[in-house]
C-alpha cells in the first residue's frame, strides 16, 4: 500500500474547517449511514446532528458486511468535502462469525500462540466484511467474578495477561500496513475497569498508584508494546477521577510514560458521563475535560460536537488540542491505507469464501478443546466408556447458544448442540433436554428420573445464559440457577455417578455442585465448535488440558480471592490451627475452591527433584532451575508446568506467589521428562515506594507445580 506522507496529513488537517475537524472526533453508530434519510431524521435531531455533521463524522461503530460498508463508504465519500474516508469499528471480541471460546476460556488454554491464531481468524473475517478496527483486546485484570465482564478478560494474573494482550494485538494487526486482511486493535478499558467495588458494573475503582502500576497497567502496556493502534478509556473513576477525564492516566501515563502515539477513544458516552460522575457541571465542561485529558474520539455522545466550537471561540480550548487529535485519527486512517483504498479489505467474494470457513471452524474447535477445564474426576468417572449407558440431561442438551456474550455476528442457529453432536455417535445415549435455565417442569423432572434409572452414568449439562455475564451483568449470586441445582440434587437419589458440565462466563460458586457430582467440567461458552469439543472430552478422544486463570471462590463471601495475595501480619499457621486471631474466616477456608492454574487431565504426572543450579546469584544474574515430570500412566500427558516466585522481603509487601513462567509439554507414557527454566533477576523487579521498578537483593522462593496451590519450593539468595 502507498501512504500519505506526514506533511500531507498535516496539510490535510490545515485544510479542514473547525466543524470538519470536530467531525473527525465524532463516532456514530452504523444506522446513520445505512438507513434511508427519512428514517434517521428522528435520531439525528434527537442528538442534535445535521446531515452535514453526519457526513463529517470520522468513524462508525457496529456496521459490517462487505456490501453494507462499501455502500456506506461510497455514499459518505460522495458527500464529504475532502473525501476523508470513514473508519469502521466494532466489538470483535472472540471471533467475528466463527466464534471462539470467550476470552476467559481462551485464556485457560495457557496458549498465547493459539489465542493469536484466533485473533488472526477474527481479523480476516472482519476485514473482508469491511471492518477496520476491533474494540479488543480487553485486558482488564479481574479478581471479582461478580463482575459480568470477567468473561472478556484473560484473568487475575499480570504476567499471563501481558502475554495474551500481546497475542491478541499481534493476531489482529499482523502486517497492518501491507496486508488488508488485518484490523487495528483497540486495547481497553484504560484503566483498571476490572476492579469495580463490589463487582458492581460501572462502579468506583479505588486503587493506589503502586497497585495500578504493579498489577493493572502492565497488560495495557504490553498491548502498546505490540503496536496496538488504539486505546479505549474506561467508564469508572480511578482515585476519584473518571478515567475518561483523567489527565494523569491519559496524558501523563499513557502518552508520556508509555509513549502512546495512537488514537484514544472514549467508551460509549463516557465523555458525557463525567457529568453524572460529578466532575463536570454540564456537557460543555465534559467536552473540555475529556479533550484536555486526551480523548480523541467521542463514541456516541455529542459533547465535542455541540460544544467544542464554542469552547474554542471563548478561548477555553486551544485549536492545537483539536488539531492534535484530528491528526492522530488521520494517521490511523493512513496507517490502514484508507486514503489509497477506502474499502480496504472489504470484498464480497472473499467474504463468502472466508467467513465461517471450514478452516476457521477447525481453529475454533482446537481453541474450544484447549479451553475446557476438568475440575473434578472422582474415581475416574471420566472419560465415558464405549459400553456404558449414559443419559445426557439438562437445559444445555439442546441449546444452541454456546457462543457467549460479545459474539455479535456469531449465529447460534449454525452452532451445533450437544445432542446434535452426540447423537451421531455409536454409544448408547439417552437425551432429556429440559427447557428452562431458570425453571424445570414436573414432566421434565420425571423424564430425567426415568432416564437416570436406566443408565450407568448421568451427565448433566448446566449453566448460565449468555446474557448473565458480559457488560451490565454483575450478580451477587454466582451459583447455578436454583432449578438446575434442584435437578442435580434430585438425581442424586439414584446413587449413580453424575458428571456436570457447566457453560458459563464467570467463575461460579460450584461448592455444592462439586460435592454432589463425581465429574465436573468447566466448558465456559466454548463457541462455534463447543459441543464437539465437549463431547470429545467426555468420551476421551481429547484429554482435557485447560487450566484456570481466575480462582473459583467457595462462596461469594470469599471474594475477592486470588492467588497472588499478600501474607498479612497474621497468616494462618498450620502448627497452630486453633488460633482465632489470624487472618481467616470462621466459616470457610481462605483457599478458593479451585485455585489459579488448576485443571485436571485424565492422567497425571508427578513433580520431582526441583533443582536450582546456583542457589546464590548476583543482581545481574539468572535463576536456572529444573524439575522432573514423571508419567506413570500408560497415556501421554500434556502438562502445563507453572513457575512461581516469592520475594520474601521487599521494600513494600510482595505477593505470596507470582507466576513468572510456564511451559506446556507432553510427557510420553511411562516416561519422565526434565523441564528446565531460566529467568533473570531483573524480571523479578517490582514497583518500589517511589514508583521505580527494580529488583532487590535478598531471599526468593522458587516454586514449580501443576497449579498455584501444589508446588515444590526452594529458597535462593540474590546478592548485591
Ligand atoms: C463497552 C465497550 C464497547 C463499546 C462499544 C461499551 O458499552 O463498555 O467495551 O467496546 O460499548 O460497543
Amino acid at each position: 500500500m502507498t501512504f500519505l506522507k506526514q506533511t500531507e496529513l498535516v496539510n490535510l488537517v490545515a485544510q479542514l474547517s473547525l466543524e470538519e475537524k470536530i467531525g473527525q472526533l465524532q463516532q456514530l453508530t452504523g444506522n446513520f449511514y445505512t438507513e434511508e434519510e427519512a428514517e434517521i431524521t428522528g435520531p439525528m435531531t434527537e442528538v442534535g446532528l445535521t446531515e452535514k455533521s453526519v457526513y463529517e463524522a470520522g468513524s462508525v461503530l457496529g456496521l459490517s458486511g462487505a456490501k453494507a460498508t462499501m455502500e456506506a463508504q461510497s455514499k459518505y465519500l460522495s458527500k464529504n468535502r475532502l473525501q476523508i474516508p470513514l473508519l469502521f469499528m466494532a466489538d470483535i471480541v472472540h471471533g467475528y462469525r466463527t466464534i471462539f471460546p470467550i476470552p476467559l476460556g481462551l485464556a485457560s488454554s495457557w496458549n498465547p500462540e493459539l489465542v493469536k491464531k484466533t485473533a488472526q481468524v477474527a481479523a480476516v473475517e472482519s476485514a473482508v466484511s469491511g471492518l477496520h478496527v476491533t474494540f479488543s483486546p480487553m485486558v482488564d485484570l479481574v479478581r471479582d467474578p461478580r463482575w459480568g465482564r470477567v468473561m472478556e478478560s484473560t484473568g487475575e494474573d499480570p504476567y499471563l495477561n501481558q502475554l495474551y494482550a500481546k497475542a491478541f494485538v499481534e493476531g489482529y494487526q499482523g502486517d497492518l500496513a501491507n496486508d488488508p486482511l488485518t484490523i487495528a486493535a483497540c486495547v481497553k478499558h484504560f484503566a483498571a475497569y476490572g476492579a469495580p467495588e463490589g463487582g458492581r458494573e460501572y462502579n468506583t475503582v479505588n486503587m493506589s498508584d503502586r497497585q495500578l502500576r504493579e498489577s493493572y497497567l502492565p497488560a495495557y502496556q504490553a498491548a502498546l508494546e505490540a503496536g496496538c493502534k488504539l486505546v479505549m478509556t474506561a467508564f469508572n473513576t480511578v482515585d476519584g477521577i473518571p478515567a475518561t477525564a483523567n489527565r494523569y492516566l491519559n496524558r501523563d501515563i499513557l502518552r508520556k510514560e508509555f509513549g502512546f502515539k495512537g488514537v484514544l477513544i472514549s467508551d460509549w458516552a463516557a465523555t458525557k458521563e463525567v457529568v453524572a460522575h460529578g466532575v463536570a457541571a454540564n456537557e460543555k465542561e465534559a467536552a473540555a475535560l475529556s479533550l484536555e485529558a486526551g480523548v480523541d474520539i467521542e463514541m456516541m455522545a455529542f459533547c465535542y460536537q455541540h460544544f467544542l466550537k464554542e469552547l474554542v471561540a471563548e478561548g477555553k480550548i486551544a485549536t492545537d488540542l483539536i488539531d492534535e487529535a484530528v491528526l492522530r485519527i488521520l494517521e490511523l486512517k493512513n496507517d490502514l491505507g484508507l486514503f489509497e483504498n477506502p474499502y480496504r479489505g472489504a470484498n464480497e467474494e472473499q467474504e463468502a469464501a472466508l467467513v465461517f470457513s471450514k478452516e476457521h471452524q477447525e481453529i475454533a474447535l482446537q481453541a474450544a478443546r484447549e479451553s475446557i477445564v476438568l475440575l473434578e474426576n472422582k474415581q475416574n468417572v471420566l472419560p465415558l466408556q464405549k459400553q456404558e449407558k449414559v443419559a445426557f440431561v439438562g437445559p444445555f442438551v439442546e441449546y444452541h447458544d454456546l457462543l457467549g456474550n460479545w459474539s455479535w455476528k456469531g449465529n447460534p442457529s449454525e452452532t451445533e448442540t450437544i445432542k446434535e453432536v452426540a447423537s451421531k455417535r455409536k454409544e448408547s445415549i439417552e437425551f432429556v433436554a429440559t427447557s428452562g435455565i431458570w425453571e424445570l417442569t414436573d414432566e421434565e423432572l420425571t423424564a430425567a428420573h426415568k432416564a437416570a434409572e436406566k443408565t450407568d452414568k448421568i451427565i448433566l449439562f448446566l449453566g448460565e445464559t449468555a446474557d448473565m455475564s458480559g457488560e451490565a451483568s454483575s450478580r451477587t449470586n454466582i451459583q447455578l440457577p436454583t432449578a438446575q441445582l434442584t435437578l442435580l440434587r434430585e438425581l442424586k437419589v439414584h446413587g449413580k455417578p453424575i458428571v456436570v458440565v457447566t457453560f458459563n462466563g464467570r467463575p461460579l460458586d460450584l461448592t455444592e455442585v462439586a460435592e454432589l457430582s463425581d465429574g465436573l467440567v468447566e466448558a465456559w461458552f466454548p463457541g462455534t465448535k463447543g459441543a464437539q469439543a465437549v463431547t470429545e472430552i467426555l468420551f476421551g478422544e481429547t484429554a482435557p488440558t485447560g487450566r484456570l486463570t481466575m480462582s473459583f471462590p467457595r462462596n461469594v463471601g470469599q471474594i475477592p480471592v486470588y492467588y497472588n495475595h499478600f501474607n498479612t501480619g497474621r497468616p494462618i499457621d498450620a502448627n497452630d490451627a486453633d488460633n482465632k486471631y489470624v487472618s481467616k474466616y470462621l466459616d470457610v477456608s481462605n483457599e478458593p475452591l479451585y485455585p489459579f492454574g488448576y485443571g485436571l487431565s485424565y492422567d497425571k504426572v508427578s513433580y520431582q527433584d526441583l533443582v536450582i543450579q546456583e542457589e546464590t546469584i548476583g543482581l545481574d544474574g539468572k535463576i536456572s532451575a529444573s524439575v522432573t515430570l514423571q508419567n506413570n500412566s500408560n497415556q501421554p500427558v500434556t502438562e502445563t508446568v507453572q513457575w512461581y516466585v516469592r520475594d520474601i522481603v521487599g521494600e513494600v509487601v510482595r505477593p505470596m506467589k507470582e507466576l513468572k513462567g510456564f511451559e506446556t509439554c507432553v510427557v510420553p507414557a511411562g516416561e519422565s521428562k526434565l523441564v528446565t527454566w531460566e529467568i533473570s533477576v531483573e524480571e523479578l523487579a517490582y514497583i518500589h515506594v517511589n514508583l521505580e521498578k527494580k529488583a532487590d537483593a535478598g531471599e526468593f522462593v522458587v516454586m514449580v507445580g501443576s497449579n498455584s496451590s501444589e508446588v515444590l519450593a526452594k529458597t535462593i539468595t540474590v546478592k548485591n
Side-chain angles (χ1 to χ4, degrees):
M1 294 193 239
T2 50
F3 302 94
L4 297 185
K5 295 199 191 77
Q6 191 64 13
T7 48
E8 292 175 294
L9 289 174
V10 173
N11 283 341
L12 190 51
V13 176
Q15 287 174 51
L16 294 170
S17 67
L18 182 56
E19 285 88 346
E20 286 170 327
K21 288 176 185 170
I22 295 170
Q24 286 300 318
L25 314 186
Q26 178 72 58
Q27 176 157 108
L28 297 174
T29 47
N31 59 314
F32 285 95
Y33 300 95
T34 50
E35 284 161 19
E36 293 304 317
E37 249 106 274
E39 287 172 45
I40 56 155
T41 311
M44 239 163 50
T45 21
E46 229 169 77
V47 295
L49 292 179
T50 59
E51 195 197 336
K52 182 170 170 288
S53 54
V54 168
Y55 287 94
E56 283 169 0
S59 59
V60 179
L61 95 145
L63 177 67
S64 79
K67 187 160 183 280
T69 52
M70 288 171 90
E71 279 174 9
Q73 186 75 288
S74 119
K75 184 166 150 201
Y76 177 91
L77 290 173
S78 73
K79 300 193 182 208
N80 182 276
R81 186 174 69 95
L82 292 171
Q83 277 103 60
I84 300 177
L86 263 179
L87 272 170
F88 291 94
M89 310 194 185
D91 293 275
I92 307 305
V93 174
H94 51 117
Y96 179 79
R97 191 161 121 212
T98 304
I99 300 294
F100 304 103
I102 55 169
L104 193 59
L106 281 176
S108 307
S109 69
W110 289 57
N111 188 347
E113 267 310 304
L114 175 73
V115 168
K116 182 170 166 180
K117 233 191 249 174
T118 69
Q120 269 162 354
V121 169
V124 168
E125 294 195 0
S126 303
V128 295
S129 306
L131 288 172
H132 306 138
V133 173
T134 175
F135 298 133
S136 173
M138 181 187 109
V139 303
D140 303 317
L141 185 133
V142 287
R143 291 174 168 175
D144 192 331
R146 290 172 296 186
W147 191 51
R149 297 194 82 164
V150 300
M151 58 132 320
E152 290 169 64
S153 154
T154 48
E156 71 190 32
D157 183 65
Y159 172 76
L160 259 188
N161 285 0
Q162 288 177 71
L163 297 184
Y164 283 132
K166 178 170 186 279
F168 272 112
V169 172
E170 288 179 352
Y172 290 133
Q173 295 195 163
D175 185 4
L176 198 68
N178 300 305
D179 178 2
L181 299 192
T182 55
I183 50 177
C186 174
V187 64
K188 65 190 187 185
H189 306 81
F190 199 71
Y193 180 40
E197 283 181 356
R200 199 183 77 210
E201 182 65 299
Y202 313 130
N203 204 6
T204 308
V205 171
N206 257 321
M207 180 157 316
S208 72
D209 210 348
R210 236 190 39 74
Q211 165 79 327
L212 186 69
R213 288 160 186 278
E214 177 81 26
S215 306
Y216 288 79
L217 293 185
Y220 307 105
Q221 202 176 357
L224 300 183
E225 278 164 10
C228 190
K229 290 283 179 191
L230 298 93
V231 174
M232 188 187 291
T233 67
F235 287 127
N236 52 280
T237 53
V238 176
D239 197 13
I241 301 174
T244 305
N246 199 318
R247 278 192 197 210
Y248 175 61
L249 282 181
N250 301 328
R251 291 235 182 241
D252 297 349
I253 297 184
L254 183 65
R255 298 259 183 232
K256 288 201 198 104
E257 265 187 63
F258 294 175
F260 176 60
K261 300 215 160 44
V263 169
L264 179 64
I265 183 169
S266 79
D267 201 348
W268 183 291
T271 43
K272 175 173 107 180
E273 290 172 14
V274 306
V275 176
H277 275 296
V279 296
N282 49 44
E283 292 189 13
K284 186 171 166 185
E285 281 185 24
L289 281 180
S290 303
L291 192 75
E292 281 164 356
V295 174
D296 301 318
I297 298 183
E298 186 179 23
M299 183 199 292
M300 278 310 281
F302 306 93
C303 307
Y304 286 2
Q305 186 70 233
H306 297 330
F307 298 106
L308 278 189
K309 205 174 157 190
E310 210 173 302
L311 285 161
V312 170
E314 291 167 4
K316 291 187 179 142
I317 284 285
T319 39
D320 284 4
L321 273 189
I322 298 178
D323 288 358
E324 189 190 279
V326 174
L327 183 62
R328 282 194 283 262
I329 295 161
L330 298 187
E331 281 168 355
L332 175 61
K333 294 182 178 186
N334 194 40
D335 289 347
L336 286 157
L338 294 180
F339 289 105
E340 185 197 37
N341 175 9
Y343 307 103
R344 202 168 184 267
N347 180 316
E348 282 188 79
E349 265 169 44
Q350 282 200 310
E351 186 181 33
L354 296 176
V355 171
F356 207 60
S357 68
K358 282 260 162 316
E359 291 72 29
H360 291 179
Q361 290 184 50
E362 262 316 301
I363 296 170
L365 176 59
Q366 190 56 27
R369 286 178 183 136
E370 293 194 30
S371 70
I372 293 167
V373 187
L374 180 65
L375 298 175
E376 297 285 347
N377 196 20
K378 299 172 195 163
Q379 276 84 48
N380 292 330
V381 61
L382 288 173
L384 303 173
Q385 306 300 317
K386 291 219 172 336
Q387 66 287 359
E388 283 171 339
K389 278 191 283 175
V390 291
F392 279 18
V393 181
F396 279 81
V397 168
E398 262 189 53
Y399 196 71
H400 282 280
D401 195 357
L402 304 180
L403 305 181
N405 219 312
W406 294 111
S407 41
W408 179 40
K409 292 285 161 180
N411 183 354
S413 72
E414 58 193 10
T415 308
E416 282 183 306
T417 65
I418 293 286
K419 183 173 174 184
E420 282 165 353
V421 170
S423 52
K424 290 179 205 152
R425 303 181 63 95
K426 295 201 181 64
E427 290 88 354
S428 154
I429 307 174
E430 178 153 1
F431 298 95
V432 182
T434 59
S435 54
I437 299 286
W438 295 100
E439 276 159 34
L440 191 67
T441 64
D442 289 344
E443 295 76 55
E444 285 168 348
L445 203 51
T446 312
H449 276 303
K450 253 193 179 156
E453 268 163 28
K454 293 184 283 183
T455 196
D456 298 321
K457 284 178 183 168
I458 305 160
I459 321 299
L460 283 175
F461 295 86
L462 309 178
E464 293 185 319
T465 53
D467 61 2
M468 286 166 73
S469 55
E471 187 176 350
S473 299
S474 293
R475 296 179 59 80
T476 62
N477 178 346
I478 57 167
Q479 293 183 340
L480 288 172
T482 313
Q484 299 186 38
L485 291 174
T486 306
L487 179 64
L488 170 61
R489 291 175 194 142
E490 286 259 349
L491 293 183
K492 202 61 196 159
V493 300
H494 301 280
K496 304 208 170 148
I498 297 182
V499 174
V500 173
V501 180
T502 62
F503 296 90
N504 49 284
R506 57 158 59 78
L508 294 169
D509 163 0
L510 292 172
T511 298
E512 183 182 354
V513 178
E515 269 163 31
L516 296 183
S517 60
D518 301 281
L520 181 51
V521 179
E522 176 53 75
W524 309 110
F525 285 106
T528 297
K529 299 301 277 182
Q532 188 177 331
V534 167
T535 310
E536 284 177 6
I537 283 186
L538 290 176
F539 285 98
E541 283 109 20
T542 298
T545 54
R547 302 284 185 265
L548 301 178
T549 63
M550 195 177 172
S551 308
F552 274 45
R554 288 175 192 275
N555 61 31
V556 161
Q558 239 192 355
I559 296 170
V561 57
Y562 50 93
Y563 88 95
N564 41 5
H565 58 82
F566 290 166
N567 198 30
T568 80
R570 293 194 182 188
I572 292 175
D573 178 356
N575 300 322
D576 186 16
D578 293 335
N579 188 353
K580 184 172 183 196
Y581 295 92
V582 293
S583 180
K584 67 176 180 185
Y585 297 104
L586 294 181
D587 55 344
V588 101
S589 122
N590 282 4
E591 298 307 312
L593 183 63
Y594 301 116
F596 175 84
Y598 174 82
L600 304 172
S601 197
Y602 290 145
D603 294 286
K604 200 172 154 72
V605 294
S606 62
Y607 283 67
Q608 298 162 0
D609 304 328
L610 168 59
V611 176
I612 310 281
Q613 256 174 29
E614 284 175 76
E615 293 186 1
T616 304
I617 50 173
L619 263 176
D620 56 354
K622 278 186 162 73
I623 302 172
S624 298
S626 68
V627 71
T628 303
L629 304 184
Q630 178 67 44
N631 178 3
N632 288 331
S633 78
N634 55 11
Q635 295 295 324
V637 174
T638 302
E639 176 71 5
T640 298
V641 178
Q642 302 166 31
W643 295 92
Y644 297 89
V645 175
R646 178 181 177 198
D647 182 348
I648 299 179
V649 178
E651 186 188 60
V652 296
V653 177
R654 307 297 304 132
M656 294 295 286
K657 280 186 191 106
E658 290 178 282
L659 182 73
K660 289 290 178 185
F662 65 92
E663 182 186 332
T664 300
C665 55
V666 180
V667 190
E671 292 188 19
S672 68
K673 189 177 179 106
L674 185 77
V675 178
T676 58
W677 181 64
E678 203 173 73
I679 187 175
S680 65
V681 173
E682 213 185 314
E683 289 171 76
L684 306 178
Y686 66 92
I687 310 282
H688 283 59
V689 175
N690 63 0
L691 302 184
E692 193 191 334
K693 190 169 181 184
K694 58 174 189 191
D696 294 340
E699 294 204 318
F700 293 78
V701 186
V702 175
M703 292 162 269
V704 63
S706 60
N707 64 64
S708 62
S709 286
E710 291 172 73
V711 291
L712 302 177
K714 276 232 159 111
T715 303
I716 62 147
T717 306
V718 174
K719 286 232 155 88
N720 266 320

